[in-house]
């Protein structure tokens, strides 16, 4: 390791040299002639590679339907969640937040639950009264992810609008996602004030709330799905929902 003393310093690779910054100084070192990996480092590299692929697959399943900005560290956090869960235990992803600054638990103190027959039930409860918030947009995004095949085999999306100032009697949202693979369900909540989206990141959340390897269900024929633009729709009757699916 040698310190860079010239007026022009650099970081990164330059030929066979690597420049880097440490504390308040710039240093330089030569590249190693060979990199020797132990069995443990090779296993760690494989785990990281698998976690990165699985994380990218999950992000690709939900990114087109999510209407909130994810925090800048969500990619690394999702990869770490997969590493901690292991390739054979994706269910440990439940509770992952795409926006670490807010949780769906802020808006539903009694958490939703996914039944075995694929129905998401939001229990009746007293909703928190957030200052100036007049409407909650609740969006459920379900994706069937085939991790072994590296593909998303199906998606379904449901949206409902709730007035938090009125008693909430609960809701049931059937999620029909035919296909093979693990069912991953994300709940997104956005708040509206005076008909406009409340832009503060504390007022928008998207969490993975359920992960299950249940058997796929066959979709009912004859359903149509208008395009979801991600914009606020017209006022809805509290407690009603509209089933949509992205094109």
């Amino acid at each position: 390791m040698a310190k860079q003393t010239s007026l022009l310093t650099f970081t990164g690779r330059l030929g066979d040299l690597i420049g880097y910054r440490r504390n308040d100084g710039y240093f330089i070192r030569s590249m190693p002639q060979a990199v020797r990996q132990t069995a443990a480092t090779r296993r760690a590299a494989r785990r990281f590679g698998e976690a990165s692929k699985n994380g990218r697959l999950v992000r690709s399943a939900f990114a087109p339907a999510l209407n909130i900005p994810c925090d800048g560290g969500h990619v690394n956090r999702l990869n770490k969640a997969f590493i901690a869960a292991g390739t054979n235990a994706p269910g440990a992803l439940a509770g992952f937040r795409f926006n670490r600054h807010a949780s769906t638990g802020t808006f539903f103190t009694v958490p939703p639950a996914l039944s075995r027959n694929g129905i998401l039930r939001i229990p009746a409860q007293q909703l928190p009264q957030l200052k100036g918030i007049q409407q909650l947009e609740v969006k459920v995004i379900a994706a069937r992810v085939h991790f072994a095949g590296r593909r998303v085999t199906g998606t379904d999306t449901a949206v409902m609008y709730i007035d938090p100032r009125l008693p909430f009697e609960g809701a049931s949202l059937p999620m029909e996602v035919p296909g093979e693979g693990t069912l991953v369900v994300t709940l997104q909540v956005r708040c509206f004030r005076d008909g406009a989206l409340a832009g503060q990141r504390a007022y928008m959340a998207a969490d993975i709330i359920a992960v299950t390897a249940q058997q796929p269900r066959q979709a009912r024929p004859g359903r149509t799905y208008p395009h979801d633009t991600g914009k606020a729709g017209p006022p809805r009757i509290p407690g009603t929902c509209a089933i949509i699916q992205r094109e």
Side-chain angles (χ1 to χ4, degrees), residues 126-129 133-135 162-167:
Q126 181 67 41
L127 299 178
Q129 301 298 301
I133 299 303
Q134 301 160 339
Q135 187 181 68
I162 302 173
D163 187 337
R165 299 165 299 181
L166 301 178

Side-chain angles (χ1 to χ4, degrees), residues 60-73:
S60 69
F62 292 104
L66 284 174
N67 306 120
I68 71 166
C70 300
D71 67 80

Side-chain angles (χ1 to χ4, degrees), residues 4-237:
Q4 300 182 42
T5 59
S6 64
L7 294 177
L8 300 177
T9 57
F10 74 96
T11 59
R13 180 177 175 180
L14 180 62
D16 293 334
L17 301 176
I18 299 176
Y20 59 97
R21 181 176 182 179
R22 173 178 293 178
N23 297 327
D24 294 328
Y26 288 85
F27 299 87
I28 191 172
R29 62 181 174 84
S30 59
M31 292 186 60
Q33 296 296 323
V35 178
R36 297 181 179 179
Q37 287 188 326
T38 65
T41 58
R42 286 193 293 269
R43 288 194 298 270
R46 284 195 296 268
R47 286 196 301 269
F48 179 80
E50 286 294 318
S52 298
K53 292 177 182 178
N54 289 338
R56 187 183 309 115
L57 190 61
V58 169
R59 296 196 307 274
S60 69
F62 292 104
L66 284 174
N67 306 120
I68 71 166
C70 300
D71 67 80
H74 80 284
V75 174
N76 290 334
R77 291 192 296 104
L78 185 57
N79 291 345
K80 290 180 181 179
F82 268 108
I83 293 175
T87 56
N88 297 322
L93 294 176
F96 176 82
R97 300 178 184 180
F98 287 95
N99 171 25
R100 65 181 177 87
H101 302 288
S103 167
T104 56
T106 302
F107 313 104
F108 294 104
T109 55
V110 183
L114 184 69
S115 65
R116 291 185 177 181
N117 58 354
I119 298 178
L120 184 72
R121 304 187 188 278
I122 306 177
Q125 58 192 280
Q126 181 67 41
L127 299 178
Q129 301 298 301
L130 304 176
K131 184 177 180 180
I133 299 303
Q134 301 160 339
Q135 187 181 68
L136 299 181
E137 179 197 68
V138 180
K139 187 175 189 179
V140 184
I141 312 163
R144 185 79 64 177
V145 183
H146 195 292
F147 289 104
R150 304 293 183 199
R151 66 183 189 276
V152 179
T153 61
T155 59
D156 195 14
T157 308
V159 178
M160 65 181 299
Y161 294 85
I162 302 173
D163 187 337
R165 299 165 299 181
L166 301 178
F168 178 63
E169 298 179 355
S172 296
L173 305 175
M175 306 307 299
E176 300 182 357
V177 191
E180 299 179 350
T182 302
L183 184 66
V184 185
V185 181
T186 292
L187 180 68
Q188 174 188 280
V189 181
R190 300 195 300 172
C191 297
F192 288 82
R193 180 189 293 118
D194 296 327
L197 178 66
Q200 297 92 329
R201 58 189 181 185
Y203 289 150
M204 51 184 71
D207 303 346
I208 295 178
I209 59 172
V211 182
T212 177
Q214 67 186 54
Q215 294 297 320
R217 303 171 61 210
Q218 298 298 322
R220 294 196 302 265
R223 297 176 70 189
T224 58
Y225 304 91
H227 179 61
D228 176 24
T229 63
K231 300 180 181 179
R236 307 294 181 92
I237 300 175

